[in-house]
Amino acid sequence: MSSNEPADNPILKKFDVQGKNIVITGGCRGLGFTFAHTLAQCGANIAAIDLNEQPSADFASLPFGGNYKYYRVNVTDYEALKKTIDKIYEEFGSIDGCIPAAGIIRDRPFLEHTEKDWRDTIDVNLTGVFFTLQHCAAKMVEQKTGGSIVCISSTAGHKSLAPQTIAAYTASKFAVRGLAKQVAHEMAKHNIRVNSISPGTMLTDMLKGIMEQDPSRKQLFVDSCAMKRLADPGELAGIMLYLMSEASSYTTGQDFLVDGGLV
Ligand SMILES: NC(=O)c1ccc[n+]([C@@H]2O[C@H](COP(=O)([O-])OP(=O)(O)OC[C@H]3O[C@@H](n4cnc5c(N)ncnc54)[C@H](O)[C@@H]3O)[C@@H](O)[C@H]2O)c1
């Protein structure tokens, strides 16, 4: 009879991410930080990328199982990002996972969206994701051990959301899903899996900002989902662990909605 201890359980072993080196953009706060926390607690080594001078104070108090390192770079800067990914590869020895979670949102009626709103949103949410994927995938090909990439789309990448006025954001999130699907096809021969997740309304600073802008939004978000509540970012931990580990070895080119029944 097999043991029920997690370390001896062949099914739980498939979810093991110990020793994997994972790049996370937008790793300073919100969902990126939550992914860093979850994966590090499971023994992965995290290279977190963000804009801030220093990582948030929260990092110091985290019970990390693996190593953690912070890199300051703007994901829209192709050359600077490439140098950072080169450095991470050199310092960590491999890149086994990549989560391009850096993102911004501009919540303004369509006719009031400025040129800057559009360009900034597409630049960070789509171009920055493209650059991150390309630089990380190149390293995964070079090291010949495959890898897993998980892009962050949104329920806004599936449908228009009545409470919000986020045309550029919605366009960027539809595009991210498409990007992940195409890259999945091209990278499969290198054993690099590329998927995306589409979270619903997760209680992060980004979402708090939107609700502060218009407090009536909260009720609209709650009412629009079958489970009638906002989500804690930690509720994405399970899907991320699945996608980053060998448990998902035959899963690529897919998008996973985690939305409390919104769609
Ligand atoms: N919060 C939600 O409800 C929700 C739902 C669906 C999808 N998402 C997506 O999840 C991702 C994270 O969202 P969040 O709610 O955690 O947002 P957040 O604003 O709390 O965190 C985003 C992080 O990205 C960083 N960032 C922004 N621009 C950057 C740049 N140019 N270069 C490097 N880092 C940059 C920010 O500094 C910040 O730390 C985004 O892609 C967002 O679109 C969020």
Side-chain angles (χ1 to χ4, degrees):
M1 208 169 78
S2 67
S3 159
N4 276 331
E5 288 300 314
D8 301 327
N9 185 310
I11 302 298
L12 291 181
K13 263 188 178 167
K14 286 183 188 286
F15 288 85
D16 189 6
V17 292
Q18 277 197 58
K20 283 187 189 289
N21 301 322
I22 299 174
V23 174
I24 304 179
T25 73
C28 251
R29 69 174 206 180
L31 300 190
F33 174 77
T34 303
F35 299 140
H37 189 190
T38 300
L39 294 162
Q41 266 194 316
C42 295
N45 303 311
I46 307 297
I49 287 175
D50 211 303
L51 289 175
N52 305 351
E53 192 86 50
Q54 297 293 332
S56 59
D58 295 345
F59 277 108
S61 60
L62 290 178
F64 281 127
N67 294 321
Y68 162 76
K69 217 158 170 195
Y70 176 67
Y71 301 82
R72 184 188 186 199
V73 68
N74 189 325
V75 295
T76 67
D77 184 335
Y78 183 89
E79 280 307 325
L81 183 65
K82 185 174 184 313
K83 273 190 197 143
T84 302
I85 303 289
D86 285 347
K87 196 169 174 209
I88 292 170
Y89 187 62
E90 205 182 294
E91 290 179 352
F92 282 69
S94 69
I95 293 177
D96 309 306
C98 165
I99 307 171
I104 59 170
I105 194 163
R106 296 290 177 262
D107 194 355
R108 236 188 293 281
F110 171 58
L111 292 178
E112 292 166 29
H113 255 60
T114 63
E115 180 187 350
K116 185 167 163 43
D117 287 337
W118 172 262
R119 289 192 189 281
D120 286 353
T121 308
I122 297 300
D123 216 19
V124 178
N125 293 8
L126 183 56
T127 309
V129 172
F130 180 93
F131 291 167
T132 308
L133 256 60
Q134 200 184 48
H135 294 325
C136 285
K139 298 301 181 200
M140 290 172 179
V141 170
E142 192 179 316
Q143 75 205 17
K144 295 189 173 69
T145 50
S148 173
I149 296 173
V150 181
C151 296
I152 314 300
S153 181
S154 168
T155 43
H158 289 258
K159 60 181 281 192
S160 60
L161 300 176
Q164 288 181 283
T165 47
I166 50 169
Y169 182 83
T170 298
S172 74
K173 292 300 176 180
F174 266 82
V176 158
R177 254 182 345 115
L179 175 65
K181 278 200 187 293
Q182 177 62 34
V183 177
H185 263 275
E186 293 187 36
M187 291 294 112
K189 61 177 176 286
H190 301 290
N191 195 26
I192 300 169
R193 296 178 294 101
V194 188
N195 294 286
S196 56
I197 62 172
S198 288
T201 41
M202 319 302 297
L203 204 45
T204 63
D205 289 332
M206 179 189 271
L207 192 76
K208 284 179 198 157
I210 291 169
M211 292 189 307
E212 271 164 26
Q213 205 174 312
D214 178 357
S216 68
R217 290 277 164 81
K218 182 175 178 188
Q219 201 53 49
L220 287 167
F221 286 141
V222 167
D223 288 343
S224 65
C225 114
M227 296 185 84
K228 300 290 175 224
R229 65 174 175 86
L230 305 179
D232 181 276
E235 295 185 83
L236 294 174
I239 189 76
M240 189 52 80
L241 193 59
Y242 167 69
L243 290 172
M244 272 296 136
S245 67
E246 289 310 303
S248 59
S249 55
Y250 197 50
T251 302
T252 199
Q254 301 306 310
D255 181 76
F256 296 84
L257 279 156
V258 184
D259 63 2
L262 187 68
V263 175

